[in-house]
Amino acid sequence: LLDYGQFKYQKEKEIRAQKAHSKKVDVKGIRLSVKMGVGDFDFRVDQGKKFLSEGHKLNIEIRLRGREKEHGDIAKSKIQEYLDRVGQEYQLSIEQPISRAGGNVTATVGRKS
């Protein structure tokens, strides 16, 4: 015979141990600008590489303001340039392709394992 209470307790204990050892993946946000300088852009690239090396995903975002909203293609090319620079070091998996929603242009990427 088996004590069901003890069996249930052991199973819950195993599940808690698995949760404790599992790695949580966060989505880290990187905000770029259309008028961003080279030094700031390089810094954001380094940040993205650090986040990917830690196993997180990246949500790259550009907020378009005022007259910038007329030139969404520039924002998309800036995000593509960012992805190309980060992609030189890591293989990226595209979680959400570059898309525009209102005044925001976003993309979400992760690191291929």
Side-chain angles (χ1 to χ4, degrees), residues 6-85:
Q6 184 180 6
F7 173 75
K8 187 176 173 184
Y9 171 75
Q10 289 296 331
K11 286 295 179 187
E12 288 175 358
K13 191 175 174 182
E14 289 174 13
I15 291 171
R16 279 196 306 273
Q18 287 176 351
K19 281 185 182 179
H21 294 301
S22 68
K23 183 173 181 182
K24 184 179 178 192
V25 175
D26 288 332
V27 177
K28 299 287 187 171
I30 301 284
R31 185 169 291 165
L32 304 175
S33 171
V34 176
K35 298 183 273 189
M36 179 176 280
V38 176
D40 292 332
F41 190 78
D42 291 341
F43 180 75
R44 298 289 178 7
V45 169
D46 292 340
Q47 272 186 326
K49 289 178 182 178
K50 184 183 108 183
F51 292 149
L52 287 173
S53 69
E54 294 172 356
H56 302 295
K57 294 180 182 179
L58 293 180
N59 183 31
I60 302 108
E61 175 185 25
I62 295 181
R63 285 193 174 170
L64 301 174
R65 302 176 357 200
R67 293 181 184 170
E68 293 175 354
K69 291 182 182 178
E70 298 297 320
H71 303 286
D73 53 334
I74 297 173
K76 288 181 182 182
S77 66
K78 194 77 161 181
I79 290 180
Q80 187 59 51
E81 179 186 351
Y82 184 86
L83 294 177
D84 292 341
R85 290 273 303 276

